[in-house]
Amino acid sequence: MKPTSLAELRDAVRDSTGTLLVKGAGTASGWAGTPTGVDHELETTGLTGIVAYNPADMTVAVRAGTRFSKLQEELAANGQRIALDPARVQAGATVGGLIATADSGPLRHGYGGPRDLLIGVTMVLADGTVARSGGHVIKNVAGYDLGKLLCGSFGTLGVIAEAVLRVHPLPPATRTVSIPCDVTEAVELTGRILEARLEPAALEWYGGALHARYEGLESSVELRAAATPGGTVDHEASRVWDGEFVVRCGSRPSQLPAVAKHATAITSSVAVGVHTLAVDSATAVERLRDEFELTVCRRPAGSDLPAWGRPHPAVPLMRAVKQRFDPAGRLGPGRFAPWF
């Protein structure tokens, strides 16, 4: 099923029976648990285009199947952007897919992740009910903020039809300063940069260097780049992954050295404590699970490694939310197995 409007999406959910697997562009199809017992696939890439956009309001309403790169192109024509830069955007990731997987990139240091930029959502629940939450203004405190629940839900609570996102101005100038260092030095340098109040938009350790990205007026980024301890201005950092398993791991920022010892490649938002690692074996994934919190595990095809580890204390609450939104278990069966 590939609906092209909210009404068709509602009808597809309401008039079908059995379980549904919600898909976007498929750029994260290997994330989370392997779907099981799926009766129908529901693809959202037919839901495209901007619904409402007034640059002066600094918000945009967009259909969920819109490619994120396409949205950014249209916003750039007005000197604006969504301050998200996940690596898989270039692979064709959709707006709804980024929300459903809570994916983000280095800009999470300065602007947060999808949950921080999502201010409204229209969704279709498992029984076909159309639900709306939030609105088109940044300061909106009315009702429950259901959009936050959808971030990272992997299509198990509802089908995202439309999203209202906060936009930011495109920075007039950027500079990236690269500081060669090991992971232990990176933690110390991160503290110095934060204490100096240089306010980088991104602060990532990758490829044997700490990269600080500054955004703003030309004069401002020049001053802050020059004031960065031990740094030299370099090109933007790129990412190369050659491991079999890729996981996203959360820890205290000071634990970066302990996380990095497991990785064959790693990029880390040092000040936030969110790391993306490539590792070479399922054993390494299990060791990480023993020590830290993993939120995403991308496994090789055919791997029997569970996507999720031991249930953490919030899992009973997650089960209760799932039961409330989807009591028949129609949406995304297997995505959070074995938790529910």
Side-chain angles (χ1 to χ4, degrees):
M1 295 183 283
K2 188 177 178 180
T4 59
S5 68
L6 175 59
E8 288 185 9
L9 175 60
R10 176 204 59 202
D11 293 347
V13 176
R14 184 188 59 193
D15 298 340
S16 61
T17 58
T19 57
L20 293 169
L21 176 66
V22 183
K23 294 179 59 179
T27 56
S29 58
W31 294 18
T34 302
T36 56
V38 175
D39 295 316
H40 309 284
E41 290 191 354
L42 182 57
E43 188 174 329
T44 61
T45 52
L47 301 165
T48 60
I50 289 176
V51 179
Y53 174 43
N54 183 347
D57 291 341
M58 305 295 286
T59 63
V60 61
V62 61
R63 295 184 180 89
T66 305
R67 287 193 174 208
F68 190 74
S69 58
K70 178 66 175 176
L71 174 62
Q72 294 285 52
E73 288 175 8
E74 299 200 27
L75 297 177
N78 290 292
Q80 296 182 331
R81 66 171 177 175
I82 306 295
L84 280 176
D85 56 350
R88 62 192 176 92
V89 167
Q90 298 307 317
T94 64
V95 172
L98 295 179
I99 295 170
T101 56
D103 197 10
S104 60
L107 285 178
R108 79 170 67 85
H109 173 81
Y111 298 92
R115 70 185 307 278
D116 301 296
L117 302 173
L118 181 66
I119 59 176
V121 68
T122 299
M123 59 190 288
V124 176
L125 302 177
D127 62 357
T129 301
V130 175
R132 292 181 171 85
S133 175
H136 291 257
V137 294
I138 294 173
K139 290 187 176 180
N140 188 334
V141 296
Y144 295 108
D145 194 352
L146 297 182
K148 299 288 193 294
L149 277 179
L150 298 181
C151 294
S153 65
F154 288 93
T156 60
L157 300 180
V159 186
I160 301 171
E162 298 172 2
V164 183
L165 298 163
R166 180 178 182 176
V167 304
H168 287 86
L170 279 170
T174 65
R175 292 289 185 279
T176 295
V177 176
S178 298
I179 312 167
C181 60
D182 60 28
V183 289
T184 302
E185 294 168 330
V187 174
E188 187 267 333
L189 282 167
T190 295
R192 290 171 61 188
I193 291 172
L194 296 179
E195 288 175 1
R197 300 188 178 183
L198 298 175
E199 298 184 358
L203 195 56
E204 294 275 310
W205 187 84
Y206 170 76
L210 182 66
H211 305 275
R213 177 177 178 176
Y214 299 103
E215 298 181 345
L217 298 175
E218 182 75 27
S219 57
S220 173
V221 297
E222 287 288 357
L223 284 173
R224 287 183 286 158
T228 303
T232 56
V233 177
D234 198 355
H235 55 78
E236 298 288 342
S238 61
R239 300 176 176 183
V240 178
W241 300 109
D242 56 6
E244 290 187 278
F245 297 83
V246 175
V247 300
R248 189 163 62 202
C249 173
S251 76
R252 291 195 302 275
S254 60
Q255 291 180 305
L256 171 60
V259 174
K261 69 182 181 182
H262 298 284
T264 57
I266 179 173
T267 181
S268 172
S269 293
V270 187
V272 181
V274 176
H275 324 284
T276 304
L277 302 83
V279 298
D280 58 7
S281 68
T283 302
V285 176
E286 295 295 356
R287 285 199 297 263
L288 280 164
R289 281 180 172 152
D290 287 341
E291 297 183 50
F292 308 102
E293 193 70 37
L294 300 189
T295 57
V296 168
C297 177
R298 189 182 73 200
R299 300 147 294 164
S303 171
D304 59 359
L305 178 72
W308 310 99
R310 294 184 298 274
H312 54 71
V315 168
L317 178 60
M318 294 172 65
R319 290 181 183 137
V321 171
K322 172 67 173 175
Q323 177 65 24
R324 189 74 172 179
F325 276 74
D326 182 19
R330 292 193 68 201
L331 300 176
R335 279 301 198 189
F336 282 92
W339 295 352
F340 55 84

